């Protein structure tokens, strides 16, 4: 029964045992809020970086980083950048444990959709004044790193969801992509009529990603996840509508609750077992491989912005960001690394190497990105995005929401009850700011 | 007087030297035990009485002492109660099934096929030492909607279900993986127990006219009672803490039907609820202690 994560839990418990015992003495949460050091900004010069920079990132977009930053290493011969890539699902758990144990890296990657819990001067250093120009990034990505006007992260890549569908089947069925919620299931049915087994290949982890989907639908329905005074509003009619809308894909038979699994998603799409995906832009770069045919994607696939609900076609902003840890022993080189990866040319190189879409808006004008017509829908969508709630408990709430989504999709609970349940859970959790 | 005092002093000195040596040998284990078992257990108990969250790890002194709140919340949480029930099913089905298969194979290896015992023992023990992550991936593919199991069923004209997406079917598959991984351990322990039963007892019984069944009932089973106790306690503790199988195959789904208490604890930790996670792990520790104590009492050999 050996399991690395559980071993981690034990080590963490051991490491904090004494502190935990002391905690029982009754210090209150409010005490340390005032005790945390006030964020102070530093400045970073243009001299070559030196020393070692330890970088932690999640597997995926960062797989190609060592290649992408070769010019940085050439220009800074005295710097060593060491990458540690961690599986996505374990990333935050391991990072959180490492930070708690004081064994974190110099630079860590974060996800703007779920990074709020790390935006604290005891964990991350404020972004130095003048390191980057905040105005060059998609606004919601930059804003995701702000707490009380202090920026803690720098955007790296951006993504959002759009419709990726089989253009050949749509042509055969004589249908255009749906622009409203009401057109969604009929569109799926038309594609099924043109030969697809299922109109939609749903992503069924029943996890945080499903929670995020429903949050996005709630925005489209005109809802918001937090009230203006910062408390959770998840049992609203908009959230109920969002849950019902998502469930309609399954109850109509256009999506299967059982398949495809994550690894099957692209082969299923290529073979026509599914005909639409609500997904990110990285998929486009992988379909030729799944089809084992260069040019397959260009000939068979089209993209479209997400269909609009009562309040329009809103999606979420997501991607990757970088932060320098408060405990870093080499902040100067760390910030120089972050500055380099946020340059438009580096972001274009990253796009060419992995398909990560630039977080810097001007990089989208580079021919490498611009000549890709399938990305147009994503750019349109990125201009109409919202950031998930920037509160510490959003990740937990979204994960729980993903589980509630399963119950509604499978018909074991009504959307109203699921919304009440997620609201009760979120309320008991608070926003993490208390 | 002096003649008796000197040896006593020497004896005391020798004893204290022995004690010191004993402590010296014990020290490495004691240190590891303290660091990785005792302190974490005490810490978990401490954390379970607070509202510790993931975001508090940088300043754990900031947490609030909440007494038994976490425990009350646990037992009011339908998810936790469901997971206790799931864990009970793991134990109630997994333990007897694993023991029955292990015992049956041990009996077969001990009697009929002695010459090939080594080969079969290795074959049946292989799942115990196989990497569970790799095995779980294979099982996942085998039991997928389009997996090998359903392909085999289709070959004989049967439509296979979506094993891992059906709340009724996912649990048996997860238990089956647990049984498959553990019956080898039970078999090896039973085999060792069977080989320790003196042959002449069976010969005497045979002379008295006892058949195979009576020998099994009146000699083998009673003499194997200590082994049975050990195997059942080991397996019960394993199934009470079952984690790898549901985590890797289903992550507790579908609809939470395979989520065990260990997995609940892990999910709570993963979502930053460290106080709740500690409380759940402490409840599990108490559960293991309680069930093991009952087993020892019920199955202890009566002399």
């Amino acid at each position: 029964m050996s399991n690395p994560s559980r071993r981690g839990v034990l080590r963490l418990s051991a490491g904090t045992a004494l502190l935990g015992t002391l905690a029982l003495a009754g210090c209150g949460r409010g005490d340390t809020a005032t005790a945390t050091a006030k964020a102070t900004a530093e400045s970073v010069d243009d001299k070559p970086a030196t020393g070692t920079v330890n970088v932690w990132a999640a597997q995926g977009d960062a797989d190609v980083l060592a290649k992408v930053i070769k010019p940085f290493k050439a220009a800074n011969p005295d710097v060593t950048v060491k990458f540690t890539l961690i599986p996505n699902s374990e990333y935050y758990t391991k990072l959180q444990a490492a930070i708690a144990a004081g064994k974190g890296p110099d630079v860590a990657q974060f996800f703007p959709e779920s990074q709020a819990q790390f935006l604290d001067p005891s964990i991350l250093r404020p972004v130095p004044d003048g390191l980057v120009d905040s105005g060059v990034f998609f606004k919601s990505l930059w804003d995701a790193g702000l707490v009380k006007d202090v920026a803690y992260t720098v955007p790296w890549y951006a993504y959002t969801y759009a419709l990726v569908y089989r253009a050949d089947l749509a042509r055969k069925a004589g249908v255009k992509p749906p622009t409203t919620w009401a057109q969604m299931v009929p569109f799926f049915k038309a594609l099924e009529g043109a030969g697809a087994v299922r109109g939609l290949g749903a992503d069924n982890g029943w996890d945080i990603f499903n929670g995020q989907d429903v949050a996005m639908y709630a925005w489209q329905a005109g809802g918001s996840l937090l009230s203006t005074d910062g408390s959770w509003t998840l049992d609203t009619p908009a959230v109920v509508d969002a849950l019902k809308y998502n469930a309609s894909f399954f109850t109509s038979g256009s999506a299967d609750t059982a398949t495809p699994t994550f690894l099957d998603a692209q082969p299923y799409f290529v073979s026509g077992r599914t005909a639409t995906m609500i997904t990110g832009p990285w998929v486009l770069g992988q379909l030729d491989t799944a089809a084992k045919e260069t040019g397959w994607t260009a000939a068979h696939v089209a993209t479209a912005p997400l269909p609009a609900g009562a309040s329009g076609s809103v999606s979420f902003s997501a991607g990757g960001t970088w932060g320098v840890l408060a405990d870093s022993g080499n902040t100067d080189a760390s910030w120089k690394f972050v500055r380099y990866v946020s340059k438009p040319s580096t972001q274009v190189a990253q796009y060419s190497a992995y398909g990560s879409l630039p977080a810097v808006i001007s990089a989208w004008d580079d021919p490498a990105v611009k000549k890709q017509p399938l990305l147009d829908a994503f750019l349109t969508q990125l201009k109409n995005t919202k950031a998930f709630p920037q509160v510490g408990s959003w990740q937990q709430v979204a994960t729980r929401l993903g589980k509630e989504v399963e119950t509604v999709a499978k018909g074991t609970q009504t959307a109203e009850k699921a919304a009440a349940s997620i609201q009760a859970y979120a309320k008991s959790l608070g926003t993490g700011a208390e | 007087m002096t003649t008796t005092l000197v040896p006593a002093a020497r004896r005391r000195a020798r004893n204290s030297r022995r004690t010191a040596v004993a402590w010296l040998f014990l020290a490495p284990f004691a240190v590891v035990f303290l660091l990785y078992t005792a302190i974490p257990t005490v810490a978990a108990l401490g954390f379970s009485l607070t509202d510790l969250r993931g975001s508090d790890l940088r300043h754990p002194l900031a947490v609030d002492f909440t007494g038994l709140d976490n425990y009350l919340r646990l037992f009011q949480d339908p998810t936790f109660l469901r997971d206790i029930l799931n864990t009970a099913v793991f134990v109630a089905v997994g333990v007897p099934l694993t023991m029955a298969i292990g015992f049956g194979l041990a009996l077969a290896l001990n009697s009929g096929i002695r010459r090939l015992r080594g080969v079969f023992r290795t074959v049946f023990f292989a799942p115990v030492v196989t990497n569970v992550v790799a095995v779980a991936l294979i099982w996942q593919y085998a039991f997928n909607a389009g997996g090998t199991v359903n392909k085999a069923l289709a070959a004989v004209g049967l439509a296979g279900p979506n094993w891992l997406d059906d709340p009724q079917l996912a649990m048996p598959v997860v238990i089956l993986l647990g049984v498959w991984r553990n019956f080898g351990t039970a078999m090896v322990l039973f085999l060792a127990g069977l080989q320790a039963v003196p042959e002449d007892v069976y010969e005497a019984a045979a002379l008295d006219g006892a058949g195979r069944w009576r020998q099994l009932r009146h000699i083998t089973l009673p003499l194997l009672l200590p082994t049975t106790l050990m195997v059942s306690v080991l397996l019960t503790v394993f199934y009470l803490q079952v984690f790898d199988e549901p985590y890797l195959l289903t992550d507790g789904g579908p609809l939470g039907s395979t989520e065990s208490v260990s997995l609940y604890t892990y999910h709570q930790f993963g979502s930053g609820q460290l106080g709740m996670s500690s409380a759940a792990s402490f409840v599990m520790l108490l559960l293991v202690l309680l069930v093991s104590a009952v087993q020892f009492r019920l199955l202890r050999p009566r002399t």
Side-chain angles (χ1 to χ4, degrees):
Chain A
M1 282 284 288
S2 71
N3 181 285
S5 303
R6 285 201 300 160
R7 273 206 302 274
V9 175
L10 284 180
R11 278 201 208 108
L12 196 63
S13 300
T16 47
L18 291 174
L19 291 173
T21 313
L22 287 172
L24 291 175
C27 304
R29 177 166 277 111
D31 298 346
T32 45
T34 50
T36 49
K38 186 155 169 50
T40 51
E42 51 208 314
S43 65
V44 180
D45 58 38
D46 291 328
K47 289 178 198 156
T50 57
T52 301
V53 180
N54 283 302
V55 179
W56 278 23
Q59 280 174 353
D61 296 78
D63 293 356
V64 295
L65 251 181
K67 196 177 105 189
V68 169
I69 64 147
K70 268 185 182 163
F72 173 73
K73 290 175 85 171
N76 300 272
D78 293 330
V79 78
T80 307
V81 183
K82 285 187 182 166
F83 287 106
T84 303
L85 300 180
I86 296 165
N88 223 305
S89 58
E90 304 289 325
Y91 183 64
Y92 271 170
T93 309
K94 287 196 187 302
L95 185 63
Q96 206 168 45
I99 290 171
K103 307 255 181 213
D106 295 296
V107 179
Q109 183 211 329
F110 297 91
F111 302 102
E113 60 271 31
S114 55
Q115 66 187 23
Q117 57 186 309
F118 296 100
L119 306 181
D120 185 290
S122 66
I123 298 176
L124 288 178
R125 287 177 179 266
V127 177
D129 292 336
L131 183 81
V132 291
D133 174 5
S134 63
V136 304
F137 303 101
F138 285 108
K139 188 175 181 310
S140 57
L141 288 177
W142 177 263
D143 288 351
L146 290 179
V147 173
K148 292 177 188 162
D149 295 330
V150 176
Y152 290 94
T153 57
V154 175
W156 171 35
Y157 67 89
Y159 78 80
T160 191
Y161 276 6
L163 283 188
V164 176
Y165 66 96
R166 286 287 298 266
D168 53 338
L169 296 180
R171 275 195 298 271
K172 195 174 161 191
V175 288
K176 290 197 177 309
T179 55
T180 63
W181 278 16
Q183 294 168 359
M184 195 71 151
V185 170
F187 176 70
F188 295 149
K189 291 291 169 198
L191 298 179
E192 286 161 24
V197 180
R198 303 265 185 190
L200 175 68
D203 175 17
N204 293 337
W206 311 122
D207 50 17
I208 187 166
F209 298 106
N210 294 98
Q212 290 177 353
D213 289 348
V214 166
M216 175 173 80
Y217 300 146
W219 288 330
Q220 292 171 5
S224 63
L225 310 172
L226 281 175
S227 66
T228 43
D229 68 353
S231 49
W232 291 108
T233 50
L234 296 165
D235 53 355
T236 58
V239 173
V240 172
D241 285 351
L243 285 161
K244 284 181 179 167
Y245 173 55
N246 183 69
S248 72
F249 306 153
F250 299 95
T251 51
S252 65
S254 286
D256 193 343
T257 55
T259 52
T261 60
F262 181 68
L263 288 173
D264 292 332
Q266 291 160 34
Y268 270 47
F269 181 77
V270 167
S271 69
R273 293 178 74 170
T274 61
T276 313
M277 289 188 277
I278 298 168
T279 190
W282 58 83
V283 165
L284 299 172
Q286 297 165 354
L287 292 174
D288 274 9
T289 313
K292 299 186 180 104
E293 184 189 327
T294 309
W296 184 91
T297 313
H300 295 83
V301 180
T303 55
L306 295 177
S311 192
S313 165
V314 191
S315 188
F316 60 85
S317 63
T321 60
W322 295 107
V324 172
L325 274 80
D327 287 343
S328 167
N330 190 359
T331 52
D332 182 67
S334 297
W335 283 123
K336 284 170 181 166
F337 167 82
V338 173
R339 182 167 63 191
Y340 183 78
V341 287
S342 70
K343 281 169 63 175
S345 56
T346 317
Q347 301 220 335
V348 171
Q350 171 72 27
Y351 167 75
S352 302
Y354 196 78
S356 321
L357 293 177
V360 175
I361 301 166
S362 65
W364 284 74
D365 290 331
D366 189 280
V369 186
K370 208 167 189 176
K371 70 180 181 194
Q372 303 292 333
L374 291 178
L375 292 180
D376 291 350
F378 289 96
L379 182 58
T380 307
Q381 197 72 68
L382 264 172
K383 288 173 180 166
N384 196 5
T385 54
K386 282 192 181 188
F388 288 122
Q390 293 301 303
V391 297
S393 56
W394 166 244
Q395 225 194 336
Q396 290 100 290
V397 171
T399 304
R400 181 65 173 257
L401 183 54
K403 291 190 189 304
E404 299 294 341
V405 169
E406 182 185 19
T407 63
V408 183
K410 290 184 173 173
T412 61
Q413 190 176 219
T414 63
E416 286 80 4
K417 277 193 176 161
S421 168
I422 186 65
Q423 171 70 7
Y425 175 77
K427 210 173 158 188
S428 77
L429 220 56
T431 54
E434 297 85 354
Chain B
M1 288 294 277
T2 49
T3 50
T4 54
L5 270 176
V6 173
R10 275 187 191 152
R11 214 165 37 240
R12 269 200 300 277
R14 202 165 53 229
N15 279 348
S16 70
R17 262 203 309 277
R18 277 184 181 166
T19 312
V21 171
W23 276 113
L24 199 68
F25 278 112
L26 201 59
F29 166 78
V31 169
V32 172
F33 176 79
L34 267 177
L35 273 179
Y36 289 97
T37 307
I39 295 177
T41 307
V42 174
L45 179 62
F47 293 157
S48 75
L49 304 173
T50 70
D51 65 348
L52 184 69
R53 297 183 204 150
S55 50
D56 294 325
L57 284 174
R58 290 291 294 184
H59 25 72
L61 292 177
V63 296
D64 290 321
F65 179 78
T66 52
L68 294 175
D69 263 15
N70 286 330
Y71 292 91
L72 289 175
R73 278 174 64 195
L74 271 184
F75 286 100
Q76 285 164 359
D77 182 359
T79 310
F80 185 69
L81 299 177
R82 178 201 64 203
D83 292 351
I84 286 188
L85 198 68
N86 287 345
T87 308
V89 174
F90 275 116
V91 174
V93 181
V95 174
L97 202 59
T98 311
M99 286 180 76
I101 295 173
F103 183 66
L105 284 171
L107 271 183
L109 289 183
N110 198 42
S111 49
I113 37 180
R114 289 189 179 210
R115 272 175 50 196
L116 289 173
R117 188 188 290 160
V119 177
F120 280 105
R121 198 169 45 199
T122 312
V123 169
F124 292 131
F125 198 70
V128 179
V129 289
T130 310
N131 184 317
V132 63
V133 180
V135 171
L137 270 177
I138 294 168
W139 277 59
Q140 211 166 38
Y141 275 103
F143 284 95
N144 255 344
T148 38
V149 171
N150 281 357
K151 278 182 183 152
L153 287 173
V156 294
L158 293 171
N162 289 326
W163 298 91
L164 296 174
D165 189 58
D166 185 325
Q168 263 82 45
L169 295 174
M171 181 62 118
V173 175
V174 175
I175 291 179
L176 216 57
L177 176 57
V179 172
W180 185 79
R181 279 192 69 208
N182 284 290
F183 77 81
T185 307
M187 179 198 71
V188 164
L189 292 170
F190 278 126
L191 200 56
L194 284 171
Q195 284 166 4
V197 178
E199 202 61 41
D200 52 357
V201 182
Y202 288 112
E203 284 165 10
L207 279 176
D208 288 342
R212 283 281 170 116
W213 173 244
R214 285 177 78 89
Q215 285 180 21
L216 178 69
R217 227 182 117 199
H218 296 290
I219 300 171
T220 311
L221 288 179
L223 287 177
L224 272 185
L225 204 58
T227 311
T228 311
L229 171 66
M230 184 174 67
V231 174
S232 75
V233 170
L234 278 177
L235 288 175
T236 304
V237 170
F238 169 83
Y239 281 105
L240 277 173
Q241 297 182 318
V242 69
F243 177 88
D244 297 359
E245 288 80 1
Y247 175 64
L248 294 166
L249 266 187
T250 58
D251 197 20
L255 293 168
S257 59
T258 59
E259 188 172 85
S260 63
V261 176
S262 290
L263 204 47
Y264 177 93
T265 307
Y266 177 76
H267 284 152
Q268 289 290 331
F269 180 83
S271 63
Q273 298 285 86
L274 307 196
M276 282 285 274
S277 177
S278 300
S281 67
F282 214 73
V283 169
M284 193 169 73
L285 173 72
L286 292 178
L287 216 63
V288 170
L289 285 178
L290 187 77
V291 173
S292 305
V294 169
Q295 274 181 318
F296 269 106
R297 187 146 189 92
L298 287 178
L299 289 170
R300 72 177 168 196
R302 289 170 180 80
T303 49

